[in-house]
Amino acid sequence: MGPRAGAQMSPGLALLMWLTAHCSCPQAQGFSQGGLDASRADLWASADTSLLHDFWCQPASQLPRDQLSALIRGMATQQVPLRAWQLSCLANLAAQHGLQDDFELHPPNLLLFYNLTQVREADCWAFTRRAAQGDMELLANLPDQRVALRHAALACLGAPHPWLSASDLLLLGVLVCDMDASRIEAADPRVLENLQRCCRLTATQQAALNTLLAGGKTVLGPPGSWNLEGLRALGSLATYISSSLWMQVQEAVGLAFFSSTVATYQAGRLSQRDARRFVTGFLEAKAASVSSRPKRGTGRPCIHGDITAAMLHDNLFLVHYDCVQLESCLGSRVLKANLDPLLQHPLPVECQRVIKAKLAQVYPHGVPEDQLRLITSLVYLYSRSEIGQWNITSRDTVVALLASDVALENQTEAVLQKYLDHNGTITSTLLMAIGGSRLCWMSARQVQAIRPTEFRQAGALDISSCPQSRKDALYTKAREAFGSARNTANYYRLMRPYLGGAPVEELRYLVQANVSMDIDTFTNLNPRVLQSLSVGNVTTLLGQNVGDLQKARSHPTISSWLRSLNTSVLGELGLDRDTAGPTSLARSSTGAPNTTPCAPHLAPTSGQPGNKAPTSGSPPAHLRYLPLAVALPSGLLGLLYWGTPGPSQDCSWGACTKASKGGTGPAPHAGKLGLEGGAGHLPRPRGRLQAQRTWPCPTS
């Protein structure tokens, strides 16, 4: 779904909705027992990136093997940026059709989700090397899969293997980011190339990096011989260099790199977090080497002279004026006239507090609105009462203050409330501009004030980081906005991002609808609600994705549910209470997937009181067998026989449902709301862009 779903439909969404509509019953035009009509389904294989980005699993599950294969290869060729929930179910579809052996033609990110037990030992190196080009952050909700990938990669190298050679590092790629510090420290110096692909380093990994750099065996040589070109080549790794190492670098080289880094930050190619870490470490080294550094509280006057406007445009400004001197040398007149260039520097926290205190002196009754748009980087320092002094009348001001990643819970709620107090409204364009995570920090009253039409037009907002209480409130709002969806397929597609707040009745309804929920959405469900679902409910809810429980069994939501089960049921699931044992690559010479059909347990398909059971996005034909993903443990196949047999069923193409007598029925909680309106244009917020990376990292 695109961000304007329900307003101006994107071509990708239109295509997917067409496919869904034409797959909703066996009599639909273009549908046959062999899949979609080729003349229509070929749209998938020939679609451009904008279409493929809106990939949805349920209509894709209707494609025959050749067309699904063409779709996956097209995604690799066009480097389509799919999200975790799309990749996990696509991996299971590929496994059902035995397409894993074509991994060299598949997107590296997709390989991260593949069932490692189905990778042939002979393919170990080739598979690992391609998977290691992917983005490991996509596995945030599959911790066991991430561990399994690392163990499988090390197994490819042979054991014991304490030292990583250059060829080993070429194989491991981004998987090195999960290696412990001792392996990194003992690795070939070319490990720097691997570490450059890590979103962030742990404290022990940072120490290992500095040990490597201090040893002088890397391409940079010993710190005393470092040059500007070599430091630039380090990329964001240079921001982890310790102050003790900066003290060994030639002063001219260090200053040149400082200026270069500030320019990179101001151009939006380095995140505020990375830039501030670098500046803090570098200035600590400089302060330690200057014995005459003035101390806070000594009452010493401005040493370097009053700060002028011209000085604020110098990239070395923070080198000449530390936070103590900033407090002593920055006058109110210069501050008022030059707040923008001053805040373009990656100021350490201490310096930010100095600026905030000076602004309070200049504006005792609150920062005026035209200046508020400049202080994005300072918002997190302000209390609710201080924000209460502000005057926020413009949507652009709200975006400037909240579009960055620095405002926290209290600031978000307070800023929005000041805007609402001046007759502002929370529109779809505002929601899209500030991002779904901001919904986490709105008050329940503010969430309730969002009009359903605006919520619909905002599309799929990511609220996975919200606390449970806010997920609950947002689910209620989403149900109000999307309850009139014309069938279960559309309803589920629109509601999926908000199901983390769904009550048990909603999940049981979805069990009946056989939606085949992806594991990424499943791990974001309310853990307490999940406890109310039986094993049969969960396996039916996950459908073809049930094998992904193995990949996420130590995720807090999954592990708490597993702890509620007895040992015998865990054994049937092919799991146990010990989450330490990773999945390893298969030790067989063949990689044929296990597609033995099974008859799953089906919940009764009668709807909630007063509702008929609507059809799902998967074909609600009279299905009989469910060809599960190859990741499904054999013990689970037997478990799926449990339960009261339902009416006549027919399982094919990876989904099982009972046909609805009335055809397409209403979605649960259906109302009278339609999809209407349009999203206007909002000027681009003034905040600084995040660093652009080949492997994107979370901003928080």
Side-chain angles (χ1 to χ4, degrees):
M1 277 182 46
R4 298 171 183 260
Q8 182 177 358
M9 189 178 296
S10 69
L13 183 56
L15 169 63
L16 294 174
M17 292 185 71
W18 182 94
L19 284 169
T20 301
H22 284 71
C23 298
S24 59
C25 64
Q27 291 81 21
Q29 180 181 0
F31 181 88
S32 66
Q33 191 63 28
L36 290 176
D37 180 77
S39 64
R40 296 294 185 178
D42 282 348
L43 290 171
W44 286 85
S46 61
D48 61 21
T49 303
S50 63
L51 295 177
L52 296 178
H53 177 75
D54 289 325
F55 167 79
W56 187 260
C57 264
Q58 266 133 341
S61 67
Q62 310 312 307
L63 295 175
R65 186 180 190 278
D66 289 347
Q67 291 174 1
L68 181 65
S69 177
L71 168 65
I72 296 175
R73 295 183 186 194
M75 289 177 170
T77 301
Q78 300 185 43
Q79 299 181 345
V80 180
L82 297 181
R83 287 155 287 182
W85 66 268
Q86 295 170 307
L87 289 163
S88 62
C89 62
L90 180 59
N92 289 331
L93 288 179
Q96 288 178 28
H97 289 284
L99 296 175
Q100 280 199 177
D101 286 348
D102 298 332
F103 63 84
E104 291 184 296
L105 300 174
H106 295 178
N109 284 342
L110 185 60
L111 271 61
L112 299 177
F113 293 83
Y114 277 161
N115 177 12
L116 302 182
T117 63
Q118 298 301 319
V119 179
R120 296 177 296 185
E121 185 175 10
D123 293 332
C124 178
W125 274 74
F127 181 89
T128 300
R129 183 167 180 176
R130 184 153 181 83
Q133 300 172 29
D135 175 14
M136 293 289 286
E137 297 303 309
L138 289 166
L139 297 176
N141 288 327
L142 298 178
D144 298 277
Q145 179 73 354
R146 187 160 179 161
V147 171
L149 279 164
R150 183 174 73 250
H151 282 259
L154 291 175
C156 278
L157 301 177
H161 206 91
W163 185 76
L164 300 177
S165 67
S167 61
D168 297 338
L169 294 171
L170 189 63
L171 169 73
L172 294 173
V174 74
L175 299 177
V176 170
C177 299
D178 281 1
M179 300 293 177
D180 57 59
S182 60
R183 279 192 177 274
I184 293 174
E185 193 172 323
D188 183 279
R190 277 168 282 194
V191 71
L192 296 183
E193 297 177 15
N194 299 72
L195 296 178
Q196 283 179 323
R197 299 172 57 178
C198 303
C199 285
R200 59 180 59 88
L201 302 181
T202 65
T204 55
Q205 288 175 331
Q206 292 177 41
L209 169 66
N210 279 283
T211 299
L212 278 171
L213 294 173
K217 294 183 180 179
T218 69
V219 67
L220 277 75
S225 67
W226 290 357
N227 56 43
L228 179 60
E229 182 182 359
L231 286 169
R232 282 176 171 170
L234 280 179
S236 62
L237 278 187
T239 67
Y240 292 103
I241 296 176
S242 66
S243 56
S244 61
L245 284 187
W246 282 122
M247 293 177 66
Q248 302 176 44
V249 178
Q250 296 178 38
E251 182 178 16
V253 173
L255 292 177
F257 184 69
F258 188 98
S259 178
S260 174
T261 301
V262 170
T264 301
Y265 167 71
Q266 293 175 345
R269 297 195 300 273
L270 186 66
S271 71
Q272 184 176 100
R273 180 190 61 208
D274 289 345
R276 186 180 295 167
R277 178 174 56 241
F278 160 72
V279 167
T280 301
F282 188 93
L283 294 181
E284 284 178 358
K286 181 178 181 297
S289 64
V290 179
S291 59
S292 60
R293 181 192 184 200
K295 305 297 182 182
R296 178 176 290 279
T298 62
R300 298 184 64 171
C302 175
I303 295 176
H304 301 299
D306 291 341
I307 295 172
T308 66
M311 294 175 181
L312 295 176
H313 292 277
D314 182 358
N315 287 345
L316 295 177
F317 168 73
L318 289 175
V319 174
H320 303 313
Y321 289 88
D322 62 15
C323 299
V324 174
Q325 284 294 289
L326 180 65
E327 184 176 24
S328 302
C329 305
L330 181 61
S332 299
R333 183 178 58 81
V334 174
L335 174 63
K336 289 179 63 175
N338 299 277
L339 184 58
D340 182 35
L342 174 59
L343 294 180
Q344 291 293 321
H345 293 275
L347 300 169
V349 175
E350 184 183 1
C351 291
Q352 289 183 323
R353 295 188 184 279
V354 169
I355 304 278
K356 177 179 178 287
K358 285 185 172 291
L359 285 172
Q361 296 172 5
V362 174
Y363 304 112
H365 301 297
V367 181
E369 185 164 15
D370 63 329
Q371 297 287 71
L372 288 178
R373 301 179 188 182
L374 305 178
I375 66 168
T376 296
S377 60
L378 305 181
V379 176
Y380 76 102
L381 295 173
Y382 285 85
S383 66
R384 293 172 62 96
S385 60
E386 289 172 322
I387 294 174
Q389 296 181 298
W390 295 352
N391 188 39
I392 303 176
T393 64
S394 168
R395 182 180 62 186
D396 293 347
T397 303
V398 177
V399 172
L401 292 171
L402 300 184
S404 72
D405 60 350
V406 295
L408 303 178
E409 176 178 0
N410 289 340
Q411 290 82 9
T412 296
E413 181 180 345
V415 166
L416 284 171
Q417 194 57 51
K418 290 299 296 183
Y419 176 60
L420 293 174
D421 290 345
H422 285 86
N423 297 319
T425 58
I426 301 176
T427 64
S428 60
T429 49
L430 179 58
L431 289 172
M432 288 186 284
I434 64 178
S437 62
R438 290 291 171 216
L439 289 167
C440 301
W441 310 124
M442 292 184 187
S443 69
R445 187 176 65 174
Q446 290 172 344
V447 171
Q448 184 58 35
I450 304 173
R451 296 170 183 164
T453 52
E454 300 295 341
F455 201 85
R456 283 198 296 272
Q457 292 165 15
L461 299 170
D462 183 4
I463 64 166
S464 58
S465 62
C466 292
Q468 189 59 53
S469 61
R470 198 60 73 245
K471 287 181 179 179
D472 295 343
L474 290 168
Y475 164 79
T476 301
K477 174 57 62 175
R479 191 179 65 184
E480 180 184 357
F482 302 125
S484 61
R486 61 187 177 86
N487 59 29
T488 303
N490 291 338
Y491 176 79
Y492 176 69
R493 180 167 57 249
L494 296 166
M495 287 292 295
R496 186 200 60 78
Y498 309 103
L499 292 176
V504 66
E505 294 80 11
E506 175 82 334
L507 297 183
R508 285 173 177 161
Y509 173 85
L510 294 175
V511 167
Q512 297 169 8
N514 291 283
V515 296
S516 292
M517 180 179 289
D518 62 273
I519 193 68
D520 203 62
T521 300
F522 185 80
T523 55
N524 280 302
L525 297 178
N526 186 337
R528 284 184 152 186
V529 171
L530 187 57
Q531 298 294 326
S532 301
L533 296 180
S534 67
V535 172
N537 288 155
V538 168
T539 53
T540 305
L541 180 64
L542 290 170
Q544 63 194 19
N545 304 313
V546 70
D548 288 339
L549 285 173
Q550 175 75 17
K551 303 173 185 177
R553 57 186 177 144
S554 62
H555 186 283
T557 299
I558 307 298
S559 63
S560 65
W561 178 67
L562 292 176
R563 284 195 298 270
S564 70
L565 306 178
N566 59 46
T567 303
S568 62
V569 174
L570 287 174
E572 293 289 348
L573 282 168
L575 304 172
D576 53 47
R577 298 188 190 278
D578 179 13
T579 60
T583 305
S584 60
L585 295 181
R587 295 300 175 191
S588 63
S589 58
T590 62
N594 176 12
T595 56
T596 304
C598 68
H601 161 71
L602 287 182
T605 54
S606 58
Q608 297 175 357
N611 289 340
K612 293 182 179 180
T615 58
S616 77
S618 298
H622 301 283
L623 306 173
R624 176 127 185 115
Y625 294 111
L626 175 65
L628 294 175
V630 294
L632 185 61
S634 58
L636 185 54
L637 301 180
L639 179 65
L640 295 181
Y641 284 92
W642 292 6
T644 304
S648 175
Q649 301 142 6
D650 178 24
C651 298
S652 62
W653 294 105
C656 298
T657 62
K658 177 189 175 186
S660 169
K661 292 182 180 180
T664 300
H669 325 295
K672 297 181 180 180
L673 302 173
L675 300 179
E676 57 185 328
H681 173 71
L682 181 65
R684 185 174 182 173
R686 203 181 166 286
R688 201 172 277 111
L689 295 175
Q690 292 296 316
Q692 298 299 311
R693 303 172 185 258
T694 304
W695 298 271
C697 301
T699 56
S700 58

